[in-house]
Amino acid sequence: MTAQRIAKAAALIMVLTLLGRAIGLVREMFVGAKFGAEVLGPFVVAFNLPNIVGITLTGAFSAAFIPLFTAELEKGHRDAAWRLASAVLNTVLLGISLLAGLGMVFSRQVAVLLATDFSPPLLDLTGELLFILFPTLILSSLGGVTMAMLSSLNRYFVSSIGPLLSSLVVIASIFLLAPRWGIHGLAWGTTLGALLSFVVMIPSLLKEGFQYYPTLGLNNPLVRRLWMMILPVLFGVGVSQIHILIDSNMAASISEESVVALKYANTVAQLPMGVFVSAVAIPLLPALSAMLAVGDQEGFKNTLARGVSYYALILLPIMVVTMLLSDPIIQVLFQRDKFDASRAAMTAFALVFYGLGFFPSAVRDLYTRGFYSLHDTATPVKIGALTVFIHVGMNLLFIPWLSHGGLALATSISNALNMVILGWLLYRRVGGWSFRTQWNVLYRAAIAATLMGVVLAFSFSRLIALFPGGGWWATVLSMILAGIAAALVYGGTLLALGTPEVREFADKILSKIKAPRSAPPAMGLPKNDGE
């Protein structure tokens, strides 16, 4: 995949993901306003386990599957690729169905493990919700493999629109099912949304000529190679997600409100991560794998380096905005009905610390994908396991001082540590890349983001003071106006500092504006195709 095709794919994914995340925020606004912490806390705990297991399995199969599947496609071996895909789908269906079935049978016991400090009634409710949500394990896992195939085939539209459709189903369940079944209706809506997200991808896969084979591929060398790769990846991706379960359990020991506050803070934090990071990361792994398959080592290194630069330019200003305006952001998005001022303040407090981890988390994932493209799944596992132990230690250290905010801070610090170690190891592994280019972009982005932050804080405080008692609309207007001023300062500073990527972008915009438009063809005169 060329750089131009990566950029086009990233743009499409970014637009669709932004729309999906926006609908997801609307979904969370309705959920937060509808349910109190006494039922929302158990739902968050119940949702986390199947969601994390689904993410782990999806990430593991995608990371190990995409390089092999893409390599077969590049070689023109489509039948071998379909046999590999069929073996993965069949194994996932059998294995995950067994796991989900066991989870449903022992849902009450699982609830005790997830929230040891919940009261018996809350544990009963958590178990009931787990029973409804465990089938999402099967749907999300099958959907993850299907999405991996479509990504390798450069089909991103349908796979990116799935979360949007899922959110719409959940929103509908709040109005149609929750009035009768309460929080259980929300759980059923979540499961139905996962089903739709998977089913909608099937027609696109069939159009690509997918051939199904009823096989587990036990005698297929390609499948055996996949399993050799996937076991450490399973552990590695699981390690990167396990901190969510750890944080949820520790937050439950503080209060149900702490569980809800962390959940909503993380929801907001995942908006820029999902939109901008996923837009680059989803087409990147097939591209990196394809480069290595044809021996383009320099293209591999340059793509990694540019990915870090793009993340710095995009995420550093978003980090500043999130940390400085965490209170008004949460108030505008969620503070209504049962999502009161106390819950909003707790959520905003955690969001500040999550914001610190935007850039390190994105670059960590980029480096991890670099290792996966090299068919090295063990190194990210080892580093991830190390940082999990550090993460737990920091949780215990920070909770007495920062309460649930300490859990968010520990997450950001452990992600940063993971990023540094992985980056150093990958740099040595591939023979290095242009650190000077990255540093030139990073320090310019840091200076511009700092100046932007000063302007943002000053202008927002002055603007909001002009509307005493203005309420929601005054906060939104103040954030928009302050944000425009801050964005102008950020972009202007980057241009003044001579940031190459920004200058290139500005030149393209100016060239399109200045380009003369071709005259329309004369009416009534047929065009000579031979000219």
Side-chain angles (χ1 to χ4, degrees), residues 340-351:
D340 56 18
S342 174
R343 185 189 293 180
M346 291 178 66
T347 304
F349 183 63
L351 180 58

Side-chain angles (χ1 to χ4, degrees), residues 163-370:
L164 184 153
L165 298 175
S166 177
S167 294
L168 290 175
V169 173
V170 174
I171 291 173
S173 73
I174 295 172
F175 295 98
L176 300 177
L177 303 181
R180 180 174 182 180
W181 295 325
I183 197 69
H184 297 83
L186 178 64
W188 281 114
T190 303
T191 300
L192 292 174
L195 174 62
L196 179 61
S197 183
F198 165 58
V199 170
V200 75
M201 292 187 286
I202 295 176
S204 294
L205 189 60
L206 294 176
K207 287 181 180 179
E208 288 293 330
F210 172 71
Q211 295 292 322
Y212 173 76
Y213 295 94
T215 177
L216 297 178
L218 299 179
N219 297 321
N220 188 330
L222 199 60
V223 175
R224 289 201 299 268
R225 185 181 175 190
L226 173 67
W227 296 130
M228 292 296 293
M229 292 175 59
I230 209 168
L231 291 178
V233 178
L234 268 175
F235 184 74
V237 178
V239 160
S240 68
Q241 294 292 321
I242 197 67
H243 72 85
I244 298 177
L245 286 180
I246 295 172
D247 288 354
S248 179
N249 192 299
M250 289 187 169
S253 68
I254 301 172
S255 67
E256 297 92 70
E257 282 289 2
S258 295
V259 176
V260 176
L262 274 182
K263 194 267 186 194
Y264 276 87
N266 190 53
T267 297
V268 177
Q270 289 304 312
L271 178 61
M273 297 299 292
V275 173
F276 299 108
V277 177
S278 295
V280 176
I282 290 176
L284 196 62
L285 182 55
L288 292 174
S289 300
M291 289 174 187
L292 291 176
V294 298
D296 187 4
Q297 187 81 4
E298 287 302 314
F300 177 85
K301 293 191 289 185
N302 290 336
T303 301
L304 280 175
R306 289 182 71 86
V308 175
S309 298
Y310 287 141
Y311 281 154
L313 291 170
I314 294 171
L315 293 177
L316 289 184
I318 294 176
M319 179 186 74
V320 171
V321 172
T322 302
M323 295 176 67
L324 291 178
L325 300 184
S326 62
D327 282 307
I329 288 172
I330 297 301
Q331 290 167 10
V332 166
L333 290 176
F334 301 121
Q335 188 174 324
R336 56 187 59 84
D337 296 335
K338 294 190 177 182
F339 204 113
D340 56 18
S342 174
R343 185 189 293 180
M346 291 178 66
T347 304
F349 183 63
L351 180 58
V352 171
F353 297 112
Y354 277 133
L356 285 171
F358 285 174
F359 178 69
S361 180
V363 178
R364 175 207 63 191
D365 291 346
L366 176 65
Y367 290 155
T368 299
R369 289 174 183 268

Side-chain angles (χ1 to χ4, degrees), residues 137-177:
L137 269 178
I138 305 169
L139 300 169
S140 61
S141 299
L142 292 175
V145 178
T146 306
M147 183 184 299
M149 284 189 278
L150 291 174
S151 296
S152 297
L153 294 163
N154 301 324
R155 296 288 299 269
Y156 302 103
F157 177 80
V158 176
S159 58
S160 298
I161 208 172
L164 184 153
L165 298 175
S166 177
S167 294
L168 290 175
V169 173
V170 174
I171 291 173
S173 73
I174 295 172
F175 295 98
L176 300 177
L177 303 181

